[in-house]
C-alpha cells in the first residue's frame, strides 16, 4: 500500500470540527468556492490562500467567516505560511484548458499541484483532498490539461500523506459558457444526440468534499469519479428548452469545427471513447453523499442566473476547462 493510503495517519470522523482548519486553494473560483462554503456550513475553520484579499470574491469569503491568507501558487513561501497549523488541504489548480483566463501552462499546473502536496507533507497535514478530472487515468489522454492531473495524482499517491482524489465530470456551469449557441436558440456540445455524458454541479463538489473531510476513515486512500447526472444530447435539448421557455435545438459541434480545431476535436474524441463522458457510479454516490443535483434541478436552482445570462449573451470564443 503506498504511503498515501495509510489510514493510520487519519483521525476518526468528528462531528464538531471546532479546532480544525482546512486550507482551501482556488476559493475565489468555482470548486474552491463551493468547498469553502460547504466546509463553513459544516462547522470547519477555513483559510483560503487568495491572490487579492480585497477583491469582491475574497471579501465574500470573509463574509462567511473564511480567513484570508494572501499568497500565490507560484510562491512556495506563501503556501508554506498558509499551511502552518492546518489539519486539511483542498487542492485545485488552474489549467491550460481554461485558455487565456489564467495563461497557465501544463508544466505550471503540474508544478503547482506537486508543490502544494509536497508542502502539505512538510507541514504535517492530516488529510489532502485533490480534485482532478474524470478523464485522468493511467492511460494518457494526449491532452495536456488532463494528463497534468494524472501526473499530480501519481505524485500525491507516492507521498506520505493521507489523501483522497476526486475526479469530477464536466461541470454543469461549463455548459453555460458563451460559444455554445444558447443566445441563438441552439445548443452545441460534444455529445451526439443519443450519446450519454455525465455532468456535475459545482455546488455538489463542495458538498462531497466536505463529507470526505468529515469521514477520513472512509475516504483516505480512495480515488473516484464524481458526477450528479447523465444526459444525452437529446436530454440537453429537452432540459434547456424547458428551462428557457422556448425551443433550443441541440446538435453536436459540426464536423468542420471539430476538424479545424484540434483542441475541440480531441475533446470530442475523448467523449467518443467514453473517458470524458464519464463512468461515475451516480447511484452509489447518491447513497453515500445524499441527493445530487440533476441538470433539471440545477437549471431551476443555482444554474438559473447562468442560463439567463447565456440566453442573453452575445456569442464568444469557447473557453473550455
Ligand atoms: N470546468 C470543468 O468542467 C472541469 C471539470 C473537471 C476539472 N476541471 C478542472 O478544474 C480546474 C479549475 O477549477 P475551477 O473551475 O474551480 O477554477 P476557477 O473557477 O477557474 O478558479 C481558479 C481559482 O484558482 C485561483 N488561482 C489561479 N491562479 C492562481 C495562482 N497563481 N495562485 C493562487 N491562486 C490562483 C483563482 O484565483 P483568482 O481569483 O485570484 O484568479 C481562482 O480562485 C482546472 O484544472 C480544470 O481543468 C474543470
Amino acid at each position: 500500500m503506498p504511503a498515501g493510503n495509510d489510514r493510520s495517519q487519519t483521525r476518526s470522523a468528528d462531528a464538531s470540527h471546532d479546532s480544525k482548519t482546512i486550507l482551501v486553494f482556488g476559493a475565489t473560483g468555482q470548486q474552491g468556492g463551493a468547498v469553502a462554503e460547504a466546509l463553513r456550513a459544516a462547522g470547519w475553520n477555513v483559510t483560503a490562500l487568495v491572490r487579492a484579499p480585497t477583491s469582491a470574491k475574497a471579501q465574500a469569503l470573509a463574509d462567511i467567516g473564511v480567513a484570508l491568507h494572501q499568497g500565490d501558487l507560484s510562491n512556495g513561501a506563501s503556501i508554506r505560511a498558509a499551511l502552518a497549523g492546518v489539519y486539511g488541504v483542498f487542492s485545485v489548480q488552474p489549467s491550460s484548458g481554461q485558455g487565456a483566463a489564467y495563461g497557465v501552462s501544463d508544466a505550471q499546473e503540474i508544478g503547482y499541484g506537486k508543490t502544494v502536496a509536497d508542502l502539505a507533507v512538510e507541514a504535517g497535514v492530516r488529510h489532502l483532498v485533490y480534485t482532478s478530472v474524470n478523464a485522468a487515468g493511467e492511460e494518457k489522454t494526449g491532452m495536456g490539461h488532463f494528463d497534468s492531473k494524472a501526473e499530480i495524482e501519481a505524485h500525491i499517491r507516492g507521498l506520505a500523506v493521507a489523501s483522497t482524489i476526486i475526479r469530477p465530470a464536466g461541470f454543469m456551469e461549463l455548459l453555460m459558457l458563451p460559444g455554445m449557441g444558447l443566445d441563438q436558440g441552439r445548443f452545441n456540445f460534444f455529445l451526439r444526440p443519443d450519446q450519454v455524458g455525465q455532468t456535475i454541479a459545482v455546488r455538489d463538489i463542495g458538498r462531497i468534499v466536505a463529507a470526505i473531510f468529515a469521514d477520513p476513515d472512509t475516504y483516505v486512500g480512495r480515488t473516484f469519479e464524481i458526477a450528479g447526472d447523465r444526459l444525452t444530447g437529446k436530454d440537453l435539448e429537452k432540459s434547456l428548452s424547458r428551462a428557457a421557455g422556448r425551443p433550443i435545438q441541440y446538435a453536436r459541434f459540426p464536423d468542420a469545427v471539430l476538424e479545424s480545431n484540434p483542441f475541440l476535436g480531441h475533446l470530442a474524441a475523448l467523449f467518443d471513447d467514453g473517458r470524458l463522458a464519464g463512468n461515475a457510479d451516480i447511484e452509489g454516490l447518491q447513497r453515500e453523499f445524499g441527493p445530487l443535483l440533476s441538470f433539471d434541478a440545477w437549471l431551476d436552482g443555482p444554474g438559473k442566473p447562468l442560463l439567463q445570462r447565456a440566453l442573453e449573451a452575445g456569442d464568444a470564443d469557447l473557453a473550455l476547462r
Side-chain angles (χ1 to χ4, degrees):
M1 184 189 280
N5 286 353
D6 184 356
R7 286 171 181 237
S8 67
Q9 297 173 62
T10 67
R11 296 178 193 179
S12 311
D14 182 354
S16 93
H17 315 294
D18 291 353
S19 58
K20 294 185 196 159
T21 299
I22 310 277
L23 173 62
V24 175
F25 288 85
T28 52
Q30 301 190 94
Q31 298 188 78
V35 167
E37 203 177 320
L39 288 172
R40 284 298 298 142
W44 295 87
N45 297 323
V46 177
T47 298
L49 181 132
V50 295
R51 295 193 288 186
T54 56
S55 68
K57 285 184 176 173
Q59 284 305 309
L61 291 167
D63 288 347
I64 58 164
V66 173
L68 304 179
H69 190 106
Q70 212 254 327
D72 195 297
L73 282 164
S74 64
N75 178 345
S78 70
I79 298 172
R80 196 175 267 123
L83 279 163
V86 310
Y87 163 85
V89 169
F90 173 72
S91 175
V92 61
Q93 287 78 46
S95 81
S96 67
Q98 296 178 275
Y102 294 108
V104 69
S105 68
D106 300 325
Q108 280 172 316
E109 180 189 355
I110 293 167
Y112 293 162
K114 289 184 177 178
T115 299
V116 168
D118 290 345
L119 295 181
V121 175
E122 185 187 292
V125 161
R126 307 292 293 267
H127 194 177
L128 169 67
V129 177
Y130 169 63
T131 180
S132 175
V133 67
N134 62 357
E138 288 192 3
E139 195 191 325
K140 288 202 172 200
T141 64
M143 297 213 77
H145 69 299
F146 297 149
D147 295 338
S148 55
K149 293 173 176 61
E151 189 170 336
I152 295 167
E153 284 191 12
H155 183 79
I156 290 171
R157 283 193 208 95
L159 293 174
V161 65
S163 61
T164 307
I165 296 170
I166 51 166
R167 292 175 169 169
F171 306 159
M172 293 178 189
E173 287 75 3
L174 170 94
L175 301 174
M176 298 298 118
L177 284 178
M180 315 271 200
L182 280 173
D183 55 325
Q184 295 159 29
R186 59 183 170 80
F187 188 67
N188 298 125
F189 196 56
F190 297 101
L191 295 170
R192 298 176 195 281
D194 290 316
Q195 184 185 6
V196 179
Q198 296 187 339
T199 180
I200 188 164
V202 161
R203 189 166 87 184
D204 282 337
I205 300 178
R207 286 188 48 241
I208 289 171
V209 170
I212 288 171
F213 275 120
D215 189 3
D217 289 346
T218 299
Y219 295 108
V220 164
R222 282 182 58 185
T223 296
F224 55 100
E225 284 191 36
I226 58 170
D229 203 359
R230 60 171 74 76
L231 299 155
T232 63
K234 279 188 198 154
D235 293 333
L236 285 168
E237 179 171 287
K238 199 168 146 205
S239 293
L240 289 167
S241 299
R242 180 197 61 78
R246 57 181 192 254
I248 303 286
Q249 205 175 17
Y250 181 78
R252 179 170 152 114
F253 288 120
D255 286 346
V257 169
L258 298 178
E259 279 158 21
S260 66
N261 184 324
F263 183 80
L264 297 183
H266 205 144
L267 287 172
L270 286 172
F271 270 97
D272 287 349
D273 83 4
R275 299 182 66 182
L276 258 185
N279 295 291
D281 172 9
I282 295 177
E283 287 70 30
L285 290 165
Q286 307 246 29
R287 281 193 297 277
E288 274 186 88
F289 299 106
L292 300 170
L293 284 170
S294 66
F295 187 50
D296 283 328
W298 180 83
L299 284 168
D300 292 341
K304 200 167 187 168
L306 300 182
L307 175 66
Q308 283 314 315
R309 211 176 311 149
L311 290 168
E312 288 155 18
D315 222 351
D317 286 343
L318 274 177
L320 296 170
R321 305 160 192 224

